[in-house]
Amino acid sequence: MRKAFISPTKYVQGEDELLNLGYFVKTFGDSALLIAHPDDVKRVKEKLESTINKFQITLVEGGFHGECSREEVQRLQELAKEKSCSCTIGLGGGKAIDTAKCVAEGEALIIVPTIAATDAPTSHSAVMYTPEGEFDEYAYFNQSPSVVMIDTTVIANAPTRFLVSGMGDALSTYFEARATSRSYSNVNAGLPCGVREGVCGAAKGTNTALVLAKFCYDTLLKDGIQAKVASDCNLVTPALENIIEANILLSGLGFESGGLAAAHAIHNGLTSLEGTHHYYHGEKVAFSTIAQLVLENAEQEELNEVLAFCVSVGLPVCLADIGVDSISYEEALTVAQKACIPEESIHSMPFPITEEAVAAAIMVADQLGRKFKQSKD
């Protein structure tokens, strides 16, 4: 059996860690292309100026246009070549980070998230869009970022909703990895060669990835509430540090090397409901995780544990929490049909999947979540 595990070359997090950015740039050369939204640059301007002066580096600001599109990637690649940049820095949220991945194509890449809202920073994949913001394709690279640098002071000063959304994304990691392991399905860690070059082939997940995914879940249960309070106060505490690590590193390694299953596929299906469009990825994944547990007929004790965690940190547990006040069976079936297309990760579940079963799981999860919330009021 062929197995695969993928990870960044270096992961570092700590208070004011951004001051060390220049050190990592110097490992590649004297200059870097900085891909970041102007608002994110403004948030950390003093730290960027400090690291530039301390390490005598040049940061070429790319003037990121906001979408990870083919046109934007080509423009930035040409700028990097024109300015002879030694490496690429992706600073900010998901689209700036994904754009940096595409520009660097897996080489000499430093990722600096300013929020802990998803597990994308550590991955070797990116989502590309059209200039108008419509989905284009997934891109995979030969390796994960060279450096993932987390300044926990910056994360602590971001809106708490981002951190909580990241916990929702991280919540699914163990349950999806567990399902993938039970079905011996392939994982993303084996993709790059097969996708890009037609060699190497697919791979299964490792025991290491499954253990990391479980530790991710355990960390959420242990430190989630305290981390949320710390974020509300814009303070860095051990609990906040642990949740940042869980949201970004543990969840990132867990999903790529452990596998995705029903939760993320159901999330993708839910995007067909207009009411969900104003909610973050991790918020929708949290509800989708509950739907996956219903789909696999998880033990009631485990389901209640997940529901209680979500309620305690403010994650959605029913469709009303993600902008859908009511849903008909026909609407649920439409969501299920999108979640069950042949290429979706839901087929990593360890049993046959039908659209009807998924629609039922969504509707039952919604009712269970509503009743759980009412019981706590």
Side-chain angles (χ1 to χ4, degrees):
M1 182 186 299
R2 183 171 187 269
K3 296 185 177 184
F5 183 91
I6 192 168
S7 67
T9 304
K10 182 179 285 291
Y11 175 93
V12 56
Q13 75 171 56
E15 295 176 73
D16 295 322
E17 186 59 37
L18 194 53
L19 296 174
N20 294 321
L21 177 61
Y23 168 82
F24 292 105
V25 171
K26 293 288 278 190
T27 64
F28 301 106
D30 295 323
S31 64
L33 176 66
L34 177 64
I35 299 174
H37 191 279
D39 290 344
D40 287 316
V41 174
K42 190 181 299 183
R43 284 179 61 198
V44 297
K45 189 173 182 60
E46 289 185 10
K47 291 184 179 182
L48 290 178
E49 290 177 348
S50 177
T51 199
I52 288 170
N53 294 331
K54 181 178 179 180
F55 294 98
Q56 294 298 294
I57 61 166
T58 299
L59 295 184
V60 178
E61 292 193 32
F64 178 51
H65 291 169
E67 285 295 347
C68 180
S69 66
R70 296 170 188 270
E71 293 83 355
E72 180 73 339
V73 169
Q74 182 178 354
R75 180 186 73 82
L76 290 166
Q77 285 178 331
E78 291 172 355
L79 177 62
K81 185 176 181 180
E82 175 190 336
K83 299 294 184 180
S84 300
C85 295
S86 307
C87 63
T88 305
I89 300 169
L91 183 148
K95 291 192 175 182
I97 287 173
D98 277 0
T99 302
K101 291 178 185 178
C102 294
V103 169
E105 296 183 333
E107 302 291 338
L109 174 62
I110 302 172
I111 296 297
V112 187
T114 54
I115 54 177
T118 72
D119 49 22
T122 65
S123 77
H124 73 307
S125 61
V127 183
M128 299 194 73
Y129 297 86
T130 67
E132 295 73 34
E134 296 180 9
F135 174 78
D136 184 1
E137 68 169 351
Y138 292 106
Y140 294 91
F141 308 102
N142 289 332
Q143 62 188 42
S144 299
S146 309
V147 179
V148 177
M149 169 185 286
I150 316 293
D151 188 322
T152 54
T153 309
V154 173
I155 302 292
N157 281 278
T160 299
R161 185 181 172 189
F162 288 124
L163 184 80
V164 173
S165 176
M167 286 193 261
D169 199 20
L171 178 64
S172 72
T173 305
Y174 168 59
F175 300 109
E176 292 189 281
R178 182 178 70 181
T180 301
S181 175
R182 289 174 176 174
S183 64
Y184 295 96
S185 295
N186 296 327
V187 298
N188 283 358
L191 278 176
C193 294
V195 169
R196 286 188 164 267
E197 301 171 20
V199 297
C200 294
K204 313 302 178 186
T206 61
N207 292 331
T208 300
L210 184 58
V211 169
L212 291 173
K214 180 58 164 65
F215 185 57
C216 178
Y217 178 62
D218 292 342
T219 302
L220 294 176
L221 296 183
K222 177 179 179 293
D223 292 318
I225 296 175
Q226 285 194 44
K228 181 179 184 296
V229 174
S231 179
D232 286 338
C233 299
N234 304 125
L235 297 171
V236 178
T237 65
L240 181 63
E241 292 270 10
N242 290 344
I243 289 300
I244 292 171
E245 182 180 343
N247 284 8
I248 297 175
L249 180 61
L250 292 173
S251 184
L253 298 179
F255 99 80
E256 279 210 298
S257 296
L260 298 175
H264 271 77
I266 293 171
H267 160 277
N268 294 342
L270 288 171
T271 61
S272 64
L273 301 177
E274 186 175 351
T276 68
H277 294 177
H278 300 294
Y279 291 83
Y280 295 153
H281 172 81
E283 292 170 334
K284 288 176 278 192
V285 170
F287 171 75
S288 300
T289 300
I290 297 167
Q292 175 177 318
L293 291 173
V294 172
L295 181 66
E296 63 186 357
N297 196 27
E299 295 291 336
Q300 190 63 45
E301 182 180 356
E302 183 175 67
L303 186 56
N304 286 343
E305 184 177 70
V306 170
L307 287 165
F309 168 75
C310 289
V311 170
S312 72
V313 297
L315 281 168
V317 295
C318 62
L319 289 171
D321 292 340
I322 53 172
V324 181
D325 291 329
S326 62
I327 189 170
S328 66
Y329 179 75
E330 289 72 24
E331 289 171 322
L333 194 58
T334 297
V335 171
Q337 287 167 348
K338 186 171 183 178
C340 292
I341 60 176
E343 59 268 30
E344 266 295 0
S345 59
I346 199 165
H347 302 291
S348 290
M349 295 300 290
F351 47 79
I353 294 294
T354 67
E355 295 170 359
E356 292 77 12
V358 175
I362 291 168
M363 297 188 73
V364 170
D366 177 45
Q367 291 302 310
L368 288 173
R370 289 173 187 265
K371 289 179 179 178
F372 189 88
K373 284 182 69 175
Q374 290 171 358
S375 71
K376 299 300 177 183
D377 290 341

